[in-house]
Amino acid sequence: MSPPMSASSFLDTLRDEGLTVVEVGEWRTHNRNHKGPWGPVHGVMIHHTVTRGTANTVRICRDGYEELPGPLCHGVIAKDGKVHLVGYGRANHAGLGDDDVLRAVIAEKALPPDNEANTDGNRHFYGFECENLGDGKDPWPAVQLEAIERAAAAICRHHGWTARSVIGHLEWQPGKVDPRGFTMNAMRERIHDRLK
């Protein structure tokens, strides 16, 4: 059971892993904490945005939209590998997911199929939205994949977690397909190697 790190520690942790971080507005206090608790945290969730253009993507992920207010994640990982911090605390990124998946993440075991949506993921996961159309054709530049690897590894290193604490949205919530264009198993292998 891990309490979330402070916003300052989060920033330092990402930079210490060699990432270029862009701070967007008052990201440290931009959250949805009034809707429920933030923590204990158990893992990192990776998403794709279904958007084009970094400025547009960052704006949407910071502000959200009428049906889903922002922030929609903690950090946006752009095509150029920069991480734009848009919020910290509870964020509207994970939604309801499978309690069996959460138990597997906590135990750092192989994930079961996600066939239920009965558990609040916004409380328990750090979230990164990654700039990509999510159509399986939009490329994932090597620098962006490396940034995803580094960001997830940084958080795992801080909390003493293994790569099994990193999941994709598609592994959490039935019907989700993100991230599309690389596999989470391949990403977890990269994170595992980085944590060695």
Side-chain angles (χ1 to χ4, degrees), residues 48-51 131-138 140 177-181:
H48 66 229
T49 59
V50 195
T51 59
E131 180 189 342
N132 191 277
L133 291 175
D135 58 4
K137 300 173 187 173
D138 191 17
W140 290 91
V177 299
D178 56 316
R180 192 172 184 189

Side-chain angles (χ1 to χ4, degrees), residues 3 7 13 15 25-26 37 51 53-54 61 63 71 88 97 142 146 149 158 161 171 175 177 184 189-190 194 196:
T13 295
R15 285 181 170 158
E26 298 298 321
T51 59
T54 300
C61 289
D63 299 339
Y88 201 70
E146 183 178 333
E149 169 196 327
H158 175 90
W161 297 335
E171 296 172 310
V177 299
M184 284 307 302
E189 285 178 18
R190 292 177 62 144
R194 178 166 289 279
K196 279 183 184 176

Side-chain angles (χ1 to χ4, degrees), residues 86-175:
V86 297
Y88 201 70
R90 186 180 178 88
N92 272 335
H93 73 98
L96 293 177
D98 195 311
D99 59 339
D100 293 329
V101 172
L102 182 61
R103 280 191 283 276
V105 170
I106 293 168
E108 298 192 315
K109 294 185 175 177
L111 299 176
D114 55 330
N115 56 16
E116 294 180 291
N118 58 12
T119 301
D120 176 13
N122 294 336
R123 176 179 184 176
H124 296 300
F125 288 94
Y126 295 93
F128 290 97
E129 286 280 359
C130 306
E131 180 189 342
N132 191 277
L133 291 175
D135 58 4
K137 300 173 187 173
D138 191 17
W140 290 91
V143 68
Q144 185 181 28
L145 291 172
E146 183 178 333
I148 296 167
E149 169 196 327
R150 284 178 182 267
I155 294 171
C156 290
R157 196 184 308 285
H158 175 90
H159 286 290
W161 297 335
T162 72
R164 287 193 179 270
S165 293
V166 183
I167 67 173
H169 199 194
L170 77 171
E171 296 172 310
W172 170 246
Q173 191 177 75

Side-chain angles (χ1 to χ4, degrees), residues 6-51:
S6 70
S8 293
S9 292
F10 182 61
L11 177 62
D12 291 344
T13 295
L14 295 174
R15 285 181 170 158
D16 288 349
E17 203 68 36
L19 288 159
T20 300
V21 180
V22 179
E23 298 181 74
V24 181
E26 298 298 321
W27 68 271
R28 294 167 188 262
T29 55
H30 184 49
N31 56 55
R32 304 286 295 161
N33 289 0
H34 64 286
K35 290 293 186 181
W38 162 233
V41 288
H42 300 299
V44 180
M45 192 173 294
I46 305 300
H47 307 260
H48 66 229
T49 59
V50 195
T51 59

